[in-house]
């Protein structure tokens, strides 16, 4: 697809059935921004059970995507377009068979062989007037954005003075190690929302072995990773302990997720070991009594005093984090499933005025568009 220099239609079909995996945070590990850099005219569609998640991911990559019901709906929308444009249909595991079935039926239908001259077998993206939908759609307000999803169309124009202010600096610590569930998606979303508001932003991605001076940083992001990667990252973070502690005490903002959240405490789990943490937050993490058999895996909804609407996330962990006296929870679980990190009290994560920590992987902001900006 990247090697095709012409105008094109691209459709992504994403399901989250058991065979696919319920968690679709992997969408944020894919560099759709590369597709956005294509100089050709693109018309992009999103389908499948998680069509709206796909649409949101593309939106933050700068790509306007229309939602379609299924492959038949897609073919109807692009019917009769020039054969000079190719169409690419990409589907994950359980989404593929129905897409393949529709395409096979289309190819075998008698009408396919008697189509009018110029009708595409692999059509591109032109509307009824012959105008590319990519050209006709507003560049700063994706058409058909999911209900409630924040975007340029819902953000008031930023003061012109913002153009002259210093950049807001985000330090993403060890994204090469701590990005197991697409945790970097939170950074992408913060970066894009700031730009929509006219706020200059600089993202410093600090990889393993590199150093950063937090003195000029406005927000620090910590994600989670597999045991080996978290062990490597923890060694680096322990070496930064005093700097991180001073940063938080001085009012610096810290967002921590998954293993990045647990390491902030006095003790946390590293593989099967309980090891010393950074001690920035009065909390400890221990393995559930049933081990992996008591692993909490599911979508989760919670109520938080920091958000006007429910916060939606995805949890996947066998640890149980216990908050110390006076440490306020980030929110309280309100979904029927999920008991979060502090069973049986059903509290999840924690927060103060300057740092937020959460066990729900990856999707603080992208699944909860009205969660307030903390910078």
């Amino acid at each position: 697809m990247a090697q095709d220099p012409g105008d094109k239609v691209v459709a992504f079909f994403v399901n989250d059935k058991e065979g696919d995996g319920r968690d679709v945070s992997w969408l944020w590990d894919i560099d759709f921004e590369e597709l956005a850099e294509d100089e050709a005219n693109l018309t992009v569609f999103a389908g499948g059970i998680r069509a709206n998640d796909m649409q949101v991911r593309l939106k933050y990559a700068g790509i306007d995507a229309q939602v379609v019901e299924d492959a038949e709906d897609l073919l109807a929308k692009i019917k009769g377009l020039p054969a000079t444009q190719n169409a690419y249909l990409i589907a994950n595991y359980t989404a593929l068979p129905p897409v393949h079935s529709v395409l096979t039926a289309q190819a075998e239908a008698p009408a396919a062989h008697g189509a009018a001259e110029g009708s595409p077998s692999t059509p591109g993206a032109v509307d009824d007037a012959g105008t590319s939908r990519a050209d006709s759609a507003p560049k700063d307000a994706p058409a058909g954005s999911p209900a409630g999803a924040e975007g340029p169309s819902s953000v008031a124009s930023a003061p012109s003075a913002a153009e002259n202010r210093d950049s807001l600096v985000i330090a993403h610590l060890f994204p090469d190690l701590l990005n197991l569930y697409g945790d970097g998606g939170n950074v992408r979303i913060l970066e894009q929302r700031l730009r929509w508001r006219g706020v200059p932003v600089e993202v410093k991605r600090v990889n393993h072995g590199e150093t950063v001076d937090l003195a000029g940083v406005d927000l620090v992001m910590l994600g989670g990773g597999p045991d080996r990667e978290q062990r490597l990252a923890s060694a680096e973070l322990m070496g930064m302990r005093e700097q991180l502690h001073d940063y938080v005490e001085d009012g610096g903002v810290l967002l921590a997720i998954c293993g990045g959240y647990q390491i902030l405490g006095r003790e946390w789990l590293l593989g099967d070991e309980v090891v010393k943490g950074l001690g920035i937050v009065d909390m400890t993490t221990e393995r559930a009594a049933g081990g992996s058999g008591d692993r909490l895996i599911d979508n989760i909804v919670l109520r938080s005093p920091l958000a006007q609407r429910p916060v939606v996330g995805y949890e996947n962990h066998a640890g149980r984090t216990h908050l110390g006296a006076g440490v306020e929870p980030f929110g309280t679980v309100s979904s029927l499933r999920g008991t979060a990190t502090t069973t049986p009290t059903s509290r999840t994560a924690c927060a103060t005025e300057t740092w937020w920590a959460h066990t729900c992987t990856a999707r603080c902001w992208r699944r909860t568009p009205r969660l307030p900006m903390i910078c």
Side-chain angles (χ1 to χ4, degrees):
M1 185 170 63
Q3 295 174 353
D4 181 354
D7 298 345
K8 59 186 75 74
V9 170
V10 183
F12 299 96
F13 294 86
V14 179
N15 283 350
D16 67 345
K17 296 182 179 180
E18 185 174 354
D20 307 292
R22 301 294 186 185
D23 182 21
V24 295
S25 61
W26 56 268
L27 292 175
W28 294 84
D29 291 325
I30 300 174
D31 190 7
F32 290 105
E33 285 73 10
E34 184 176 341
L35 179 62
E37 295 170 359
D38 196 318
E39 295 182 357
N41 286 326
L42 301 175
T43 296
V44 183
F45 297 89
I49 297 171
R50 302 304 286 266
N52 290 118
D53 291 77
M54 184 73 248
Q55 186 188 33
V56 169
R57 173 65 188 98
L58 291 168
K59 173 182 175 180
Y60 278 94
I63 300 171
D64 175 19
Q66 304 174 47
V67 171
V68 291
E69 293 295 327
D70 49 32
E72 289 184 349
D73 185 26
L74 170 69
L75 294 181
K77 290 183 183 298
I78 62 177
K79 183 179 180 181
L81 303 181
T84 54
Q85 299 186 34
N86 291 327
Y88 297 88
L89 281 65
I90 302 169
N92 70 341
Y93 190 60
T94 67
L96 181 59
V99 170
H100 181 267
S101 178
V102 168
L103 293 180
T104 300
Q106 178 77 6
E108 294 175 348
H113 301 287
E117 183 178 353
S119 296
S121 56
T122 52
V126 180
D127 61 21
D128 293 338
T131 304
S132 167
R133 297 189 187 98
D135 289 339
S136 60
K139 297 299 182 182
D140 62 344
S145 294
E150 180 180 309
S153 59
S154 64
V155 178
S157 299
S160 57
E163 299 177 359
N164 300 320
R165 61 157 288 174
D166 293 336
S167 294
L168 188 147
V169 179
I170 300 173
H172 188 182
L173 299 186
F174 315 123
D176 54 335
L177 300 176
L178 304 179
N179 192 32
L180 182 60
Y181 296 101
D183 298 316
N186 289 305
V187 175
R188 290 183 186 271
I189 287 176
L190 280 173
E191 183 180 6
Q192 186 65 279
R193 289 189 185 182
L194 287 164
R195 288 189 172 132
W196 284 340
R197 289 168 169 79
V199 178
V201 57
E202 176 187 357
V203 177
K204 295 183 177 181
R205 292 181 171 85
V206 185
N207 290 322
H208 180 244
E210 298 177 347
T211 59
V212 62
D213 182 1
L214 298 181
V217 171
D218 297 290
L219 183 146
V220 171
M221 161 68 186
L222 268 174
D227 289 345
R228 174 184 175 276
E229 283 75 7
Q230 286 194 157
R231 188 176 297 276
L232 292 170
S234 67
E236 299 276 352
L237 290 168
M238 292 303 287
M240 296 176 61
R241 184 194 177 284
E242 293 303 322
Q243 185 182 190
L244 284 166
H245 184 272
D246 292 344
Y247 169 81
V248 171
E249 288 298 311
D250 196 37
V253 178
L254 172 62
L255 169 66
I257 295 171
C258 195
Y261 155 57
Q262 295 177 353
I263 195 176
L264 297 179
R266 291 182 283 107
E267 292 182 341
W268 70 298
L269 290 171
L270 190 54
D272 293 326
E273 304 175 63
V274 177
V275 298
K276 183 179 179 180
L278 294 170
I280 294 175
V281 183
D282 182 15
M283 63 183 186
T284 59
T285 300
E286 61 185 19
R287 190 165 299 279
S292 295
D294 284 344
R295 195 171 190 87
L296 301 175
I297 307 174
D298 211 336
N299 290 295
I300 188 172
V301 179
L302 61 121
R303 300 283 180 177
S304 172
L306 298 174
Q308 295 179 348
R309 298 184 180 181
V311 178
V312 180
Y314 189 90
E315 61 177 350
N316 183 355
H317 56 94
R320 301 293 189 272
T321 299
H322 303 278
L323 309 182
V327 179
E328 294 295 326
F330 177 82
T332 302
V333 175
S334 58
S335 54
L336 294 178
R337 294 190 179 186
T339 51
T341 60
T342 52
T343 53
T345 57
S346 294
R347 297 178 301 169
T348 180
C350 48
T352 71
E353 292 181 357
T354 58
W355 52 263
W356 290 4
H358 207 282
T359 190
C360 294
T361 58
R363 290 183 262 175
C364 284
W365 276 292
R366 64 179 179 267
R367 300 190 68 183
T368 310
R370 296 300 179 186
L371 195 62
M373 297 286 287
I374 61 176
C375 40

